Amino acid sequence: MEMYLYIALFAPIVGSLFAALFGAQPKTPIVGYVTSALIFTSLVASTVLLGAVMDGEIVHVELMTWIAAGDFYVPFGFQVDQVTVIMMMVVTLVSTIVHVYSIGYMDHDKGYNRFFSYLSAFVFSMMVLVMSDNLLGLFIGWEGVGVCSWLLIGFWYHKESATWAANEAFIMNRIADLAMLIGIFLTYWSMGSVQYDVIFAEAQYIDHSTLVTIGIFLFIGAMGKSAQFPLHTWLADAMEGPTPVSALIHAATMVTAGVYLVIRCAPMYDLMPEVGYFIASLGAFVAMFAATMALVNRDLKRIIAYSTLSQLGYMFVAAGLGAYWVALFHLMAHAFFKALLFLGAGNVMHAMDSELDPVKMGGLFKVMKVTAILMIIASVALAGIWPLAGFFSKDKILEVAFSGEHYILWGTLWVTAGLTAFYSFRLIMLTFFGEERYKNFGFHPHEAYKYMLYAMSPLAVLAVIAGWFEHQFVDFVTQMLPTFEFHTHHVEMILILVTSAIALGGIITAIVMYRNGPLSTKWESQFAYKVLINQYYIPQIYEKFLVQPYRELSDIFWKQIDMKIVDASVDAIATTFYNTGEATRGMQSGNLSTMLKWMVAGLVILLTLAVAFSVGYIAIIG
């Protein structure tokens, strides 16, 4: 099995390096085929490893020594267990589909080869993150996906908005990553190791306040990567990147890394329920907070991005309340239908010449039936309607909150379920049904390439059936993760009916309200609309109270300290040496008479100094 581990891990980076060889050249079709084939190879190897782990085998290898300094030893170690292999399957499966889809989506892009190099490098970094057997190895993958995310969000670097969004995502994540690094340092400081098996065994023996501090710092790192409030603004702005990037990074893999960190560190977080409750409370807040912003947005990809942010909140609620397997279950199911939604949005963008406003669309079902059906399936799954995957995973999270008597959390998530169903079908109705408004704007939409639709089909199938394997999933992952005791058996059916009712209510309301197209623009002058469309004015607050003061302070330091003190001092030293050299360059003229004069002058100076020292010495001893 060790060989399959290496294949799963290193196949993506081989593809990235291969694509990089053609990076500066025009489109080379073989690049897309080779990188896709190598990602598929990684998927096959991950599937073999899944079979081995299901048979009870844990694959653990140490590739080589990484750090050995005194008692501090960290190897390049990788481990495939029940949690790891689920993440590997999600990453490689979605990545394979996105790579194949991208062959068509990026067909006419000048950066075709470069795109596939970045995309495969991201997959490799994500595999390092989930397969590492220690926190430092995870951190290397963590930073790797951060760099690749920066490259991919800013892929169209000629657009100022894309480079700005890439920098925003990168900087905001670096702030969170500093906290995570502090958490890793404290882990070693208090437990003497960063290896998972060691620190999970030692966690119960260290001071509780220290453990809480570690948990908080690690979670701040997760907040940045999973875009939790207040480090959330980068996720919607990251939609400036190509749509396959959104499908892979900002729906199915990278943004779930924060949830994966909490799940992976379950033995530690189980020992600090107060931190877990904070995680759950923040998750519930973010779930509703993001959903409200999606209600009014007029950008196809941003609506789906806010949906991702909201669903990440659901996952953190489950993880924070100790139902780690439920969080992982929703992570997996969500990856399928959310990636499908983003790829469908990519089809619509291609058909509409990169237009993203659904108000300018309408009636696209007639010309894009397959894409419409695929996005409707994904939206139904997202809304949590039986028997699709979202019903099983999202309903379990609501059941977790109710079971623990966290009724405020449950109520928040319940209302959010209705909002989710509403904005999902608001998008569907505005885009695919009603009057064909796109004709008024001169668009001539068309369906995507057939192989792009074929590539999306497995996601549609999984969005339907993934939830049917709940019991097998539970039996598998709880071999490693703790089980969760539900105390809702007597009201379980009522909870299901209540949740389904609000989801169906949201869908029906959206269909009725938008069956004839967009609503009147009169209400856009209302205060509530302005607050939601401006993201609660949080970006403006950040700009005024953080960015502008920092920019002004930097300007002061640059002009008053850097230019007038640092640069001036360095320039003064250089000028002094230059002027001295200019003044004394005559000494080296090569003229014999001049050089003899300098020799005599030097001799006189030396003799004068010798006489002066002699007189002083005699005076001292006399």
mmCIF file of all heavy atoms in Angstrom, residues 263 266-267 270 322-326 477-484:
data_model
loop_
_atom_site.group_PDB
_atom_site.id
_atom_site.type_symbol
_atom_site.label_atom_id
_atom_site.label_comp_id
_atom_site.label_asym_id
_atom_site.label_seq_id
_atom_site.Cartn_x
_atom_site.Cartn_y
_atom_site.Cartn_z
ATOM 1 N N ILE A 263 -11.742 18.729 12.799
ATOM 2 C CA ILE A 263 -12.072 17.298 12.847
ATOM 3 C C ILE A 263 -10.839 16.473 13.172
ATOM 4 O O ILE A 263 -10.882 15.544 13.999
ATOM 5 C CB ILE A 263 -12.685 16.853 11.498
ATOM 6 C CG1 ILE A 263 -14.026 17.541 11.267
ATOM 7 C CG2 ILE A 263 -12.848 15.332 11.457
ATOM 8 C CD1 ILE A 263 -14.589 17.326 9.879
ATOM 9 N N ALA A 266 -9.897 16.423 16.806
ATOM 10 C CA ALA A 266 -11.042 16.075 17.657
ATOM 11 C C ALA A 266 -10.637 15.641 19.067
ATOM 12 O O ALA A 266 -11.276 16.060 20.044
ATOM 13 C CB ALA A 266 -11.877 14.985 16.980
ATOM 14 N N PRO A 267 -9.572 14.802 19.241
ATOM 15 C CA PRO A 267 -9.207 14.406 20.607
ATOM 16 C C PRO A 267 -8.831 15.580 21.500
ATOM 17 O O PRO A 267 -9.002 15.506 22.718
ATOM 18 C CB PRO A 267 -8.002 13.472 20.384
ATOM 19 C CG PRO A 267 -8.183 12.945 18.993
ATOM 20 C CD PRO A 267 -8.766 14.081 18.223
ATOM 21 N N ASP A 270 -12.280 17.817 22.083
ATOM 22 C CA ASP A 270 -13.192 17.129 23.002
ATOM 23 C C ASP A 270 -12.905 17.498 24.450
ATOM 24 O O ASP A 270 -13.797 17.409 25.314
ATOM 25 C CB ASP A 270 -13.063 15.604 22.826
ATOM 26 C CG ASP A 270 -14.139 15.053 21.904
ATOM 27 O OD1 ASP A 270 -15.093 15.786 21.601
ATOM 28 O OD2 ASP A 270 -14.014 13.893 21.471
ATOM 29 N N GLY A 322 -19.188 18.577 18.834
ATOM 30 C CA GLY A 322 -18.623 17.248 19.052
ATOM 31 C C GLY A 322 -19.089 16.189 18.074
ATOM 32 O O GLY A 322 -18.689 15.026 18.197
ATOM 33 N N ALA A 323 -19.922 16.554 17.110
ATOM 34 C CA ALA A 323 -20.398 15.586 16.112
ATOM 35 C C ALA A 323 -19.480 15.651 14.895
ATOM 36 O O ALA A 323 -19.892 16.083 13.806
ATOM 37 C CB ALA A 323 -21.837 15.888 15.726
ATOM 38 N N TYR A 324 -18.262 15.204 15.077
ATOM 39 C CA TYR A 324 -17.234 15.373 14.040
ATOM 40 C C TYR A 324 -17.574 14.585 12.777
ATOM 41 O O TYR A 324 -17.324 15.053 11.670
ATOM 42 C CB TYR A 324 -15.868 14.949 14.591
ATOM 43 C CG TYR A 324 -15.471 15.713 15.829
ATOM 44 C CD1 TYR A 324 -15.584 15.142 17.100
ATOM 45 C CD2 TYR A 324 -15.005 17.009 15.736
ATOM 46 C CE1 TYR A 324 -15.237 15.841 18.239
ATOM 47 C CE2 TYR A 324 -14.642 17.733 16.873
ATOM 48 C CZ TYR A 324 -14.773 17.138 18.121
ATOM 49 O OH TYR A 324 -14.443 17.848 19.243
ATOM 50 N N TRP A 325 -18.164 13.408 12.947
ATOM 51 C CA TRP A 325 -18.474 12.610 11.762
ATOM 52 C C TRP A 325 -19.591 13.270 10.954
ATOM 53 O O TRP A 325 -19.617 13.167 9.716
ATOM 54 C CB TRP A 325 -18.844 11.181 12.140
ATOM 55 C CG TRP A 325 -20.203 10.972 12.755
ATOM 56 C CD1 TRP A 325 -20.487 10.835 14.080
ATOM 57 C CD2 TRP A 325 -21.453 10.858 12.061
ATOM 58 N NE1 TRP A 325 -21.833 10.659 14.265
ATOM 59 C CE2 TRP A 325 -22.457 10.650 13.042
ATOM 60 C CE3 TRP A 325 -21.841 10.897 10.726
ATOM 61 C CZ2 TRP A 325 -23.801 10.511 12.727
ATOM 62 C CZ3 TRP A 325 -23.185 10.750 10.403
ATOM 63 C CH2 TRP A 325 -24.142 10.555 11.392
ATOM 64 N N VAL A 326 -20.489 13.976 11.626
ATOM 65 C CA VAL A 326 -21.560 14.683 10.921
ATOM 66 C C VAL A 326 -20.965 15.837 10.109
ATOM 67 O O VAL A 326 -21.363 16.071 8.961
ATOM 68 C CB VAL A 326 -22.612 15.205 11.914
ATOM 69 C CG1 VAL A 326 -23.704 15.977 11.173
ATOM 70 C CG2 VAL A 326 -23.216 14.061 12.710
ATOM 71 N N VAL A 477 -16.111 5.928 9.550
ATOM 72 C CA VAL A 477 -15.310 7.015 10.138
ATOM 73 C C VAL A 477 -15.307 6.978 11.656
ATOM 74 O O VAL A 477 -14.361 7.476 12.286
ATOM 75 C CB VAL A 477 -15.783 8.395 9.636
ATOM 76 C CG1 VAL A 477 -15.607 8.517 8.142
ATOM 77 C CG2 VAL A 477 -17.200 8.698 10.061
ATOM 78 N N THR A 478 -16.328 6.407 12.275
ATOM 79 C CA THR A 478 -16.324 6.338 13.738
ATOM 80 C C THR A 478 -15.385 5.271 14.281
ATOM 81 O O THR A 478 -15.283 5.103 15.501
ATOM 82 C CB THR A 478 -17.753 6.109 14.284
ATOM 83 O OG1 THR A 478 -18.330 4.974 13.633
ATOM 84 C CG2 THR A 478 -18.618 7.324 14.077
ATOM 85 N N GLN A 479 -14.692 4.576 13.393
ATOM 86 C CA GLN A 479 -13.586 3.738 13.852
ATOM 87 C C GLN A 479 -12.450 4.608 14.373
ATOM 88 O O GLN A 479 -11.601 4.151 15.138
ATOM 89 C CB GLN A 479 -13.076 2.865 12.706
ATOM 90 C CG GLN A 479 -14.090 1.842 12.205
ATOM 91 C CD GLN A 479 -13.583 1.084 10.997
ATOM 92 O OE1 GLN A 479 -12.382 0.824 10.863
ATOM 93 N NE2 GLN A 479 -14.487 0.721 10.093
ATOM 94 N N MET A 480 -12.458 5.887 13.961
ATOM 95 C CA MET A 480 -11.429 6.823 14.391
ATOM 96 C C MET A 480 -12.026 8.011 15.150
ATOM 97 O O MET A 480 -11.502 8.422 16.180
ATOM 98 C CB MET A 480 -10.638 7.332 13.189
ATOM 99 C CG MET A 480 -9.558 8.333 13.545
ATOM 100 S SD MET A 480 -8.649 8.883 12.112
ATOM 101 C CE MET A 480 -7.533 10.045 12.903
ATOM 102 N N LEU A 481 -13.123 8.553 14.633
ATOM 103 C CA LEU A 481 -13.762 9.699 15.271
ATOM 104 C C LEU A 481 -14.731 9.227 16.347
ATOM 105 O O LEU A 481 -15.273 8.131 16.258
ATOM 106 C CB LEU A 481 -14.520 10.528 14.230
ATOM 107 C CG LEU A 481 -13.673 11.188 13.135
ATOM 108 C CD1 LEU A 481 -14.586 11.873 12.127
ATOM 109 C CD2 LEU A 481 -12.692 12.192 13.737
ATOM 110 N N PRO A 482 -14.975 10.066 17.354
ATOM 111 C CA PRO A 482 -15.933 9.664 18.401
ATOM 112 C C PRO A 482 -17.352 9.623 17.850
ATOM 113 O O PRO A 482 -17.706 10.369 16.930
ATOM 114 C CB PRO A 482 -15.777 10.770 19.448
ATOM 115 C CG PRO A 482 -15.222 11.941 18.710
ATOM 116 C CD PRO A 482 -14.347 11.370 17.636
ATOM 117 N N THR A 483 -18.144 8.736 18.393
ATOM 118 C CA THR A 483 -19.563 8.684 18.011
ATOM 119 C C THR A 483 -20.290 9.842 18.688
ATOM 120 O O THR A 483 -19.750 10.498 19.586
ATOM 121 C CB THR A 483 -20.195 7.358 18.434
ATOM 122 O OG1 THR A 483 -20.000 7.185 19.852
ATOM 123 C CG2 THR A 483 -19.545 6.198 17.694
ATOM 124 N N PHE A 484 -21.494 10.087 18.271
ATOM 125 C CA PHE A 484 -22.294 11.157 18.881
ATOM 126 C C PHE A 484 -23.644 10.575 19.270
ATOM 127 O O PHE A 484 -24.323 9.958 18.446
ATOM 128 C CB PHE A 484 -22.485 12.317 17.895
ATOM 129 C CG PHE A 484 -23.201 13.495 18.496
ATOM 130 C CD1 PHE A 484 -22.515 14.453 19.207
ATOM 131 C CD2 PHE A 484 -24.584 13.630 18.347
ATOM 132 C CE1 PHE A 484 -23.177 15.539 19.769
ATOM 133 C CE2 PHE A 484 -25.254 14.707 18.900
ATOM 134 C CZ PHE A 484 -24.543 15.666 19.616
#
